Amino acid sequence: MAESLTLPDLDPISDRAVFRQIADHLREAIERGQLAEGDKVPSEARLMRHYGVARMTIRNALQVLQSEGLTVAEHGRGVFVRSHPPVRRLASDRFARRHREQGKAAFIAETEGAGGKPSVDSIEITEVKPSPDVAERLKLGAKDRVVRRSRRYLINGQPVETAISYIPAEIAKGTQIMHPDSGPGGIYARIEEKGYRLDRFVEDIKSRMPLRDEVRALKLAPGVPVFHLVRTAYATDGTPVEVCDTVMSSDAYVLSYELPAR
């Protein structure tokens, strides 16, 4: 595909920098499907011959595409159109009780509903002293402890999200929350079995550039930001029962909410 791709010529009277014109041509080929996900971008040598420019100009153009998250460079192989994970829509009913009653945690129910194959790995469970922010959200005292559940979520084998849940130890202990497999319906089902019927969730969401560990865990391309979401779950009596600190690849999600007008 790369070697047979027909590329336009540079516009000699344009005031747009040459490397940006080249990036524009390659971006358009990707957007039109002339270069599909996984396809190799034309080699530096071919692009140099076609445009009659120096290697550094071509590398600057390719760097633009990588910074936009459109391509990824593989050492010794070349530059390829980046494969994007399937989009998971975060709907406003994703924590509906009916999913738990069907034995499915929110991620599994929503991903399967969209035709994807969900999986979870890198599960770590520890009992720790909460940070001041988590302690405040959970209304814990100075001596209270929490169970920390860290994991990574994947769709069709591609990582899309990391999440760390903090559950008061007095709720989590003696339940399957303490085990890698938290059981049918996930940790929220276990919390409700403990007598804390869930009533509402409060989420704070912001967009930012990823940290180094997040780039590695989510296999993010350069230039791809993340959604940082912190959720607090409340029982019907107002007791906060969980804080979940989540980092999501922004190109794997659409945030979709239905809000009442009353």
Side-chain angles (χ1 to χ4, degrees):
M1 177 67 74
E3 298 308 315
S4 62
L5 178 66
T6 300
L7 293 166
D9 295 326
L10 295 171
D11 182 352
I13 62 173
S14 174
D15 59 359
R16 189 161 175 78
V18 169
F19 79 93
R20 295 198 180 278
Q21 288 190 53
I22 297 171
D24 292 343
H25 296 167
L26 294 171
R27 185 188 305 105
E28 185 176 359
I30 294 171
E31 291 174 347
R32 289 185 174 181
Q34 295 170 302
L35 286 173
E37 292 187 7
D39 281 349
K40 188 175 182 180
V41 173
S43 65
E44 290 183 1
R46 188 199 164 194
L47 293 172
M48 288 167 61
R49 288 195 303 270
H50 176 78
Y51 290 110
V53 297
R55 187 179 299 276
M56 185 55 65
T57 301
I58 299 301
R59 289 184 174 177
N60 287 340
L62 294 175
Q63 183 60 45
V64 169
L65 299 180
Q66 290 183 56
S67 68
E68 295 174 350
L70 293 175
T71 61
V72 59
E74 297 186 13
H75 184 69
R77 296 189 61 218
V79 177
F80 295 82
V81 178
R82 183 169 176 256
S83 296
H84 293 279
V87 171
R88 176 179 173 232
R89 183 176 297 275
L90 288 186
S92 56
D93 72 339
R94 65 188 184 278
F95 297 120
R97 183 165 287 103
R98 68 178 184 277
H99 299 314
R100 295 191 293 278
E101 291 174 347
Q102 294 169 356
K104 293 183 178 181
F107 179 79
I108 294 175
E110 200 160 39
T111 302
E112 289 182 347
K117 182 179 179 181
S119 58
V120 185
D121 67 8
S122 304
I123 301 173
E124 296 181 2
I125 305 165
T126 54
E127 184 179 332
V128 299
K129 180 180 179 180
S131 68
D133 178 65
V134 170
E136 181 179 358
R137 289 174 182 269
L138 291 175
K139 299 180 181 178
L140 297 177
K143 296 182 179 181
D144 290 328
R145 309 270 288 178
V146 294
V147 170
R148 179 184 186 273
R149 283 184 61 95
S150 175
R151 64 273 194 200
R152 183 175 69 164
Y153 293 104
L154 304 90
I155 301 177
N156 298 342
Q158 296 186 59
V160 296
E161 172 185 337
T162 62
I164 303 175
S165 285
Y166 300 92
I167 307 101
E170 65 175 18
I171 295 176
K173 282 189 173 182
T175 74
Q176 222 166 321
I177 292 172
M178 304 299 297
H179 302 278
D181 182 356
S182 58
I187 63 175
Y188 289 150
R190 305 292 80 75
I191 289 173
E192 291 199 311
E193 288 172 354
K194 204 73 181 286
Y196 297 89
R197 185 174 176 83
L198 295 173
D199 177 64
R200 62 190 177 95
F201 302 87
V202 176
E203 295 184 338
D204 298 318
I205 306 172
K206 64 181 179 180
S207 177
R208 60 170 172 77
M209 296 309 296
L211 305 176
R212 182 179 300 177
D213 289 347
E214 295 165 351
V215 170
R216 186 181 302 112
L218 296 175
K219 299 183 179 179
L220 297 171
V224 176
V226 294
F227 291 126
H228 185 189
L229 181 154
V230 179
R231 178 177 63 251
T232 305
Y234 293 88
T236 52
D237 64 357
T239 302
V241 294
E242 184 234 19
V243 169
C244 188
D245 191 324
T246 302
V247 176
M248 303 177 291
S249 174
S250 65
D251 61 355
Y253 286 89
V254 172
L255 306 183
S256 178
Y257 298 92
E258 179 178 334
L259 304 174
R262 59 184 183 275

